[in-house]
């Protein structure tokens, strides 16, 4: 049922019936199923429906939610002195789309049902973590290095969120996080490093690490990203994400190993390892900085999607939209929303799940206030939220 996200969780009872049952219903009403179907098959726009007089139908439906288990793969390079200092985490998600049957494939018509190889997204990141681990394993370290491979990223950062919420415990046990997501398709010597604003110490470390590598770097302060680094930013861990850019093979079967730029991918690994070396040998951990989003200036409201500053919790099954947080300075925080609130109505739309919320966002407009109904600590409350342009 989740394939049809438009009606998922709508509360409308729906059922499919067999042809045999349909023939009995039509016969009871004195109608012929085949004749009625033949009229529809002509594509005559004036063909109308009719009542099945004298027929009473009782429908009993039951939904059994299927749950499945994903597994993170986590290892540690131990350091003798690491019990006194927080660890460095280096991670990448290892899941992809399989045959692309779950709604987030961008396969062309001729590609439907084919294996989505995911060479860049994110076999490149997985290989990068393993290569960096080999480099750091031979280094005299004063900190542990945690090596993490996340599951469920494509479904909404499920693996990294689970690690942060259920496994990590105290976020202060991590010094910093380096996340690699799509590092195999660098073009024109460019490399994006995102989340730089999460610590004042990042820029100098990155500059030093890039001297022997020589990328044209695109440094982006914004840590609120659709990848696993966001899970750590949420709990106050400085985290970078390394990314070589989008391309036409993203989420398609054509994302294959033959299109990887192996030379530049090796350079991304070298740069990341250079940052890692400095982190695991420095005395003081990085200080976390909460980034306040900046509103774009001069953009035409009609040209950009409305921005609310909410951070949905994709991993929790609940009636409504549970917030795992709100972006500092964003519309949601200004409206008084906070982590743990459950949105049940957004403007004129009742919210029962993430899909309802996604569709509700399409209707809102920049600068036009709307009423948000939410639950906090078991009590229903209201606030007014005014969407802005995306930072």
């Amino acid at each position: 049922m989740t394939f049809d996200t438009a009606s998922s969780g709508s509360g409308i009872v729906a059922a499919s019936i067999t042809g045999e049952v349909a023939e009995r219903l039509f016969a009871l009403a004195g109608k012929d199923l085949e004749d009625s179907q033949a009229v529809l098959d002509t594509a005559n726009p004036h063909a109308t429906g009719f009542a099945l007089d004298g027929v009473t139908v009782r429908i009993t439906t039951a939904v059994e939610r299927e749950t499945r288990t994903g597994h993170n793969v986590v290892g540690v390079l131990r350091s003798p002195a690491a019990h006194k200092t927080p660890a460095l985490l280096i991670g990448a998600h290892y899941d992809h789309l399989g045959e692309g049957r779950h709604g987030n494939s961008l396969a062309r018509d001729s590609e439907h049902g084919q294996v989505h190889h995911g060479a860049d997204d994110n076999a490149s990141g997985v290989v990068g973590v393993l290569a960096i681990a080999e480099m750091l394993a031979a280094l005299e370290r004063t900190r542990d290095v945690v090596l993490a491979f996340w599951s469920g990223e494509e479904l909404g950062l499920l693996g990294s969120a689970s690690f942060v919420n259920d496994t990590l415990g105290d976020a202060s046990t991590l010094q910093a996080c380096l996340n690699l997501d799509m590092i195999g398709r660098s073009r024109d010597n460019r490399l994006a490093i995102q989340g730089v604003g999460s610590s004042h110490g990042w820029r100098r470390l990155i500059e030093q690490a890039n001297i022997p590598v020589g990328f044209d770097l695109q440094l982006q302060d914004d840590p609120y990203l659709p990848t696993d680094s966001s899970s750590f930013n949420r709990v106050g861990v400085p985290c970078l994400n390394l990314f070589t850019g989008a391309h036409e093979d993203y989420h398609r079967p054509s994302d294959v190993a033959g299109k990887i730029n192996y030379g530049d991918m090796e350079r991304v690994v070298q740069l990341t390892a250079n940052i890692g070396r400095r982190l695991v040998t420095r005395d003081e951990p990085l200080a976390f900085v909460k980034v306040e989003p900046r509103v774009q200036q001069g953009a035409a409201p009609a040209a950009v999607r409305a921005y609310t500053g909410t951070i949905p919790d994709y991993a929790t099954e609940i009636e409504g939209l549970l917030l795992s947080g709100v972006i500092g300075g964003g519309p949601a925080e200004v409206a008084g929303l906070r982590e743990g609130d459950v949105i049940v109505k957004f403007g004129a739309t009742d919210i029962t799940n993430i899909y309802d919320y996604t569709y509700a966002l399409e209707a809102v407009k920049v600068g036009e206030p709307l009423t948000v109904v939410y639950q906090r600590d078991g009590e229903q409350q209201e606030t007014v939220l005014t969407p802005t342009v995306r930072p």
Side-chain angles (χ1 to χ4, degrees), residues 1 9 178:
M1 291 197 335
L178 301 174

Side-chain angles (χ1 to χ4, degrees), residues 132-339:
I132 294 165
E134 187 174 19
M135 296 176 185
L136 296 184
L139 185 70
E140 289 292 330
R141 304 178 308 279
T142 57
R143 303 180 188 277
D144 285 349
V145 179
V146 180
L147 309 171
F149 304 91
W150 311 119
S151 179
E153 191 270 355
E154 301 288 3
L155 298 174
L157 316 185
L158 302 185
S160 56
S162 174
F163 179 85
V164 167
N165 296 337
D166 304 326
T167 305
L168 178 60
D170 185 357
S172 67
T173 59
L174 291 181
Q175 172 205 29
C177 164
L178 301 174
N179 191 67
L180 283 68
D181 194 349
M182 298 176 60
I183 62 167
R185 298 286 288 270
S186 177
R187 287 172 290 188
D188 302 323
N189 197 42
R190 294 198 302 266
L191 172 65
I193 302 183
Q194 303 164 314
V196 177
S198 62
S199 176
H200 295 314
W202 279 132
R203 288 183 178 270
R204 180 170 177 79
L205 283 172
I206 294 169
E207 179 183 348
Q208 293 171 338
N210 189 47
I211 290 173
V213 181
F215 271 115
D216 294 330
L217 297 178
Q218 299 172 304
L219 303 185
Q220 302 170 10
D221 285 339
D222 187 5
Y224 304 107
L225 307 167
T227 189
D228 293 299
S229 58
S230 291
S231 296
F232 295 90
N233 179 74
R234 176 167 57 85
V235 294
V237 177
C239 196
L240 296 180
N241 183 65
L242 289 93
F243 174 58
T244 54
H247 47 77
E248 64 178 8
D249 301 305
Y250 174 72
H251 277 199
R252 294 177 56 200
S254 53
D255 182 9
V256 295
K259 296 182 178 181
I260 294 295
N261 179 344
Y262 289 98
D264 281 356
M265 178 175 154
E266 184 176 8
R267 294 169 64 214
V268 176
V269 168
Q270 185 63 59
L271 186 151
T272 310
N274 289 346
I275 297 174
R277 286 190 185 98
R278 288 165 170 78
L279 289 173
V280 297
T281 56
R282 64 183 282 151
D283 293 331
E284 296 297 326
L286 293 179
F288 175 75
V289 174
K290 182 179 179 181
V291 175
E292 302 294 340
R294 292 179 297 178
V295 177
Q296 290 178 339
Q297 300 296 325
V304 293
R305 181 171 175 172
Y307 168 70
T308 64
T310 55
I311 306 176
D313 184 337
Y314 294 96
T316 303
E317 295 178 1
I318 193 171
E319 187 83 5
L321 178 80
L322 176 63
L323 297 181
S324 65
V326 294
I327 296 175
E333 185 180 69
V334 172
L337 295 172
R338 66 190 190 200
E339 178 181 354

Side-chain angles (χ1 to χ4, degrees), residues 331-391:
E333 185 180 69
V334 172
L337 295 172
R338 66 190 190 200
E339 178 181 354
D341 289 343
V342 179
I343 295 176
V344 294
K345 191 167 186 177
F346 195 79
T349 304
D350 292 325
I351 306 299
T352 61
N353 53 39
I354 183 65
Y355 304 115
D356 292 338
Y357 184 66
T358 300
Y359 288 109
L361 286 176
E362 299 293 340
V364 304
K365 297 181 179 179
V366 172
E368 292 189 6
L370 55 90
T371 299
V372 177
V373 181
Y374 62 97
Q375 295 176 351
R376 176 182 295 170
D377 299 328
E379 296 183 4
Q380 187 161 296
Q381 302 183 38
E382 287 186 9
T383 187
V384 175
L385 184 149
T386 303
T388 65
V389 295
R390 180 170 293 278

